[in-house]
């Protein structure tokens, strides 16, 4: 009987999780910008705290955070758009070069002739379609002006939701934390719960400040390296490396693919692998040495947990889900004391010694 009750509870939990995930998927257009606003508000919370320490109204902190986040969004669009446009312009040459390389490899390695022929046949139609300017190809691959006009109301609505949620969250963070502590904690633990929320917010903010500095150094190194090897728009590639490194694993992987295309479009011979190879070396150095040294062992996240969180976020809400997945994961781990405070551990070691 006890076993049956346990199985029933597990079944109810599974059903509840499925229902919650389905609901989150259905309300993406409403909830996704709200969640993004809350994440940005947590990351930028030190700005509001700084204004409040000066005796100013929380409105100033909310406005400052809002302006900074909108400036970052505009910068992201301005940085990504030229790179994407250049890659699209170079697509025919890239396809031709890739087809020529495959044909050459087919002659060199007769043992894999059949496999390489299938790849070559798959690439040829894409190259021909790009040369024709999309005349006979699939025009739906690239959105035209009509598509953008149809999407404009939804984009504007989600932008307004994001702006309102971020502003009012920053304006009333203290009240929200006190309300959560009052309704979700025992009376004797309300103060500790509110303090824990503040602590989680502070540690997440410090984490992302540190990561921002590290990513900035990586972007500078990538930009300089690409300039030295003669890759066009080297500063833009550095900015892209800086921004995309916030999306762990998937961001660098996407940039490697983009650099492969850029290398094929720009160079000939063995030099085509220089851009992705240099980026892989710089990114590996950052991931294996710089970031662990900067954030410490206690703030390092489990790679499997990070990967699963990214996969779930992207599956649920697309790119936006990938952006908010890691901040939410880190906030939840800190809030539940799954990432202990390094200072506390240092004090414990001193006491033990």
């Amino acid at each position: 009987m006890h076993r049956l009750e346990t199985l029933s509870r597990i079944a109810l939990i599974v059903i509840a999780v499925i229902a919650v995930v389905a609901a989150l998927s259905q309300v993406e257009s409403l909830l996704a910008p709200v969640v993004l606003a809350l994440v940005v508000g947590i990351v930028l919370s030190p700005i509001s705290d700084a204004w409040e320490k000066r005796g100013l109204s929380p409105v100033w902190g909310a406005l400052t955070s809002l302006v900074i986040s909108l400036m970052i969004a505009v910068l992201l669009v301005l940085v990504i758009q030229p790179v994407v446009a250049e890659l699209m312009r170079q697509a025919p040459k890239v396809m031709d070069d890739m087809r020529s390389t495959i044909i050459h490899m087919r002659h060199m390695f007769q043992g894999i002739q059949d496999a390489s022929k299938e790849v070559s046949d798959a690439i040829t139609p894409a190259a021909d379609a790009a040369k024709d300017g999309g005349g006979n190809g699939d025009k739906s691959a690239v959105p035209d002006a009509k598509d953008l006009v149809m999407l404009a109301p939804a984009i504007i609505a989600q932008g307004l939701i994001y702006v309102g949620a971020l502003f009012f969250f920053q304006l009333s963070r203290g009240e929200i934390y006190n309300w959560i502590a009052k309704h979700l904690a025992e009376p004797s633990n309300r103060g500790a719960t509110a303090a824990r929320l503040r602590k989680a917010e502070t540690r997440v903010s410090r984490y992302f400040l540190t990561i921002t500095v590290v990513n900035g150094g990586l972007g500078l190194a990538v930009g300089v390296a690409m300039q030295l090897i003669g890759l066009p728009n080297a500063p833009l590639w550095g900015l892209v490396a800086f921004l995309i490194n916030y999306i762990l694993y998937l961001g660098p992987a996407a940039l490697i693919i983009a650099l492969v295309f850029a290398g094929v479009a720009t160079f000939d011979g063995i030099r085509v692998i220089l851009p992705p190879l240099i980026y892989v070396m710089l990114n590996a150095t950052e991931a294996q040495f710089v970031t662990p040294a900067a954030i410490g062992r206690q703030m390092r996240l489990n790679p499997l947990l990070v990967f699963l969180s990214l996969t779930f976020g992207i599956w649920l809400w697309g790119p936006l889900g990938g952006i908010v997945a890691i901040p939410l994961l880190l906030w939840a781990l800190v809030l539940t004391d799954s990432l202990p405070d390094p200072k506390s551990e240092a004090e414990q070691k001193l006491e033990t010694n």
Side-chain angles (χ1 to χ4, degrees):
M1 189 66 181
H2 178 71
R3 184 177 181 182
L4 182 61
E5 292 179 357
T6 303
L7 292 176
S8 300
R9 293 176 182 176
I10 295 175
L12 287 175
I13 294 174
V14 172
I15 294 173
V17 170
I18 294 174
V20 170
V21 171
L24 291 175
S25 179
Q26 291 297 320
V27 297
E28 174 185 354
S29 60
L30 174 63
L31 195 57
V34 173
V35 173
L36 179 62
L38 296 180
V39 169
V40 173
I42 290 174
V43 173
L44 298 180
S45 59
I47 297 176
S48 298
D49 293 338
W51 284 112
E52 293 180 14
K53 288 179 180 179
R54 294 173 178 266
L56 298 176
S57 171
V59 174
W60 291 99
L63 288 175
T64 305
S65 300
L66 182 60
V67 170
I68 290 175
S69 66
L70 293 178
M71 289 177 62
I72 293 174
V74 172
L75 176 63
L76 180 63
V77 173
L78 294 178
V79 168
I80 297 296
Q81 188 274 333
V83 175
V84 173
E86 180 65 19
L87 291 177
M88 292 178 63
R89 188 180 70 83
Q90 295 287 350
K93 179 181 182 301
V94 172
M95 292 299 179
D96 286 340
D97 291 345
M98 292 179 66
R99 180 176 57 179
S100 300
T101 301
I102 292 173
I103 294 174
H104 179 68
M105 291 176 62
R106 183 178 60 187
H107 291 298
M108 292 180 59
F109 305 99
Q110 294 297 329
I112 58 171
Q113 181 176 0
D114 294 337
S116 62
K117 184 177 183 301
E118 292 178 0
V119 177
S120 179
D121 292 339
I123 292 179
T124 301
D128 294 337
K131 288 181 178 180
D132 294 337
N136 298 324
D138 185 8
K139 294 184 180 181
S140 62
V142 179
D144 54 14
K146 182 179 178 180
D147 296 330
L148 295 178
V149 170
M150 296 295 293
L151 290 174
I155 295 175
I156 293 174
Q158 292 186 359
L160 291 176
I161 293 173
Y162 167 81
V163 169
L166 176 59
F167 178 80
F168 290 112
F169 173 71
Q170 288 285 65
L171 190 64
S172 57
R173 282 184 305 123
E175 298 176 5
I176 292 173
Y177 291 159
N178 291 334
W179 184 91
I180 293 175
K182 180 179 179 181
H183 290 83
L184 299 182
E186 297 293 333
S188 59
N189 294 329
R190 289 175 181 175
T193 302
R196 180 175 293 182
L197 288 168
R198 285 283 189 178
K199 177 183 176 181
E201 179 185 76
T202 302
R203 292 194 67 189
V204 171
S205 299
R206 290 177 179 175
Y207 172 86
F208 277 93
L209 176 61
T210 305
I211 292 299
T212 298
V213 175
V214 173
N215 290 350
L218 175 64
L220 178 62
V222 170
V224 172
M226 298 305 161
Q227 185 69 38
L228 291 176
I229 65 175
L231 186 68
N233 300 318
L236 288 180
W237 285 110
L239 284 174
V240 171
F242 162 67
L243 295 171
I244 208 169
N245 207 50
Y246 285 100
I247 306 177
L248 301 181
Y249 304 141
L250 299 182
L255 185 54
I256 290 172
I257 296 174
L259 286 173
V260 169
F261 277 82
V264 173
T266 305
F267 304 117
D268 296 318
I270 195 65
R271 293 184 64 195
V272 300
I273 67 171
L274 280 179
L277 181 61
I278 291 174
Y279 174 72
V280 168
M281 295 173 60
L282 292 174
N283 183 264
T285 302
E286 171 268 322
Q288 298 299 323
F289 300 102
V290 179
T291 298
I295 65 176
R297 293 183 178 273
Q298 298 302 325
M299 290 296 287
R300 296 187 67 180
L301 303 177
N302 184 283
L304 178 60
L305 194 59
V306 170
F307 178 77
L308 293 178
S309 299
L310 283 172
T311 302
F312 177 77
I314 293 174
W315 171 78
L316 184 64
W317 287 344
L320 185 58
I323 294 174
V324 303
I326 301 305
L328 288 177
L329 172 65
L330 181 62
W331 183 81
L333 291 176
V334 174
L335 189 62
T336 57
D337 289 334
S338 298
L339 290 177
D341 191 347
K343 292 183 179 180
S344 299
E345 287 205 345
E347 293 175 355
Q348 292 176 3
K349 289 182 179 179
L350 288 176
E351 293 177 358
T352 303
N353 295 333

